[in-house]
Amino acid sequence: MSQFLGRQDCIESLRRDIIDLQGVVLEVFSRTGPVRCHSWKYPDKLSCNLDLVSLLDRYDFVDGEDEFNQHSHIVLLELVIDR
């Protein structure tokens, strides 16, 4: 499985998954109100207060930056868990 770590298609898929999950979270919040729990990825912040747009911009695929892309892949997986 490590051969997939940092691949552009994997990172793009994770980004779409996070956007989809966030849409579902917002739909639930519209009915129940925000859930005030700490983020798994950023325990010093509330999960509902994470700026996902800036996080997705920060951890996007960069051509020729294999190490950064592998790091981004892992961070995006952690954000899926956090959602």
Side-chain angles (χ1 to χ4, degrees):
M1 296 302 268
S2 64
Q3 68 269 21
F4 297 117
L5 189 61
R7 283 183 28 180
Q8 184 173 3
D9 59 334
C10 292
I11 290 175
E12 289 171 357
S13 178
L14 281 169
R15 290 169 53 81
R16 285 190 304 271
D17 290 345
I18 291 168
I19 292 167
D20 289 346
L21 284 168
Q22 186 63 19
V24 171
V25 167
L26 291 175
E27 185 177 329
V28 170
F29 282 0
S30 72
R31 297 175 189 182
T32 64
V35 176
R36 305 264 181 221
C37 61
H38 289 278
S39 165
W40 180 86
K41 172 74 178 147
Y42 301 98
D44 59 325
K45 299 179 182 179
L46 292 176
S47 184
C48 61
N49 291 339
L50 290 181
D51 184 358
L52 285 182
V53 173
S54 68
L55 288 170
L56 289 174
D57 284 343
R58 182 175 179 188
Y59 296 108
D60 200 0
F61 181 84
V62 179
D63 248 350
E65 296 290 332
D66 293 340
E67 190 173 313
F68 176 77
N69 291 331
Q70 291 173 357
H71 175 71
S72 292
H73 191 142
I74 292 168
V75 169
L76 292 173
L77 280 170
E78 292 172 338
L79 286 173
V80 168
I81 294 168
D82 196 68
R83 295 295 83 208

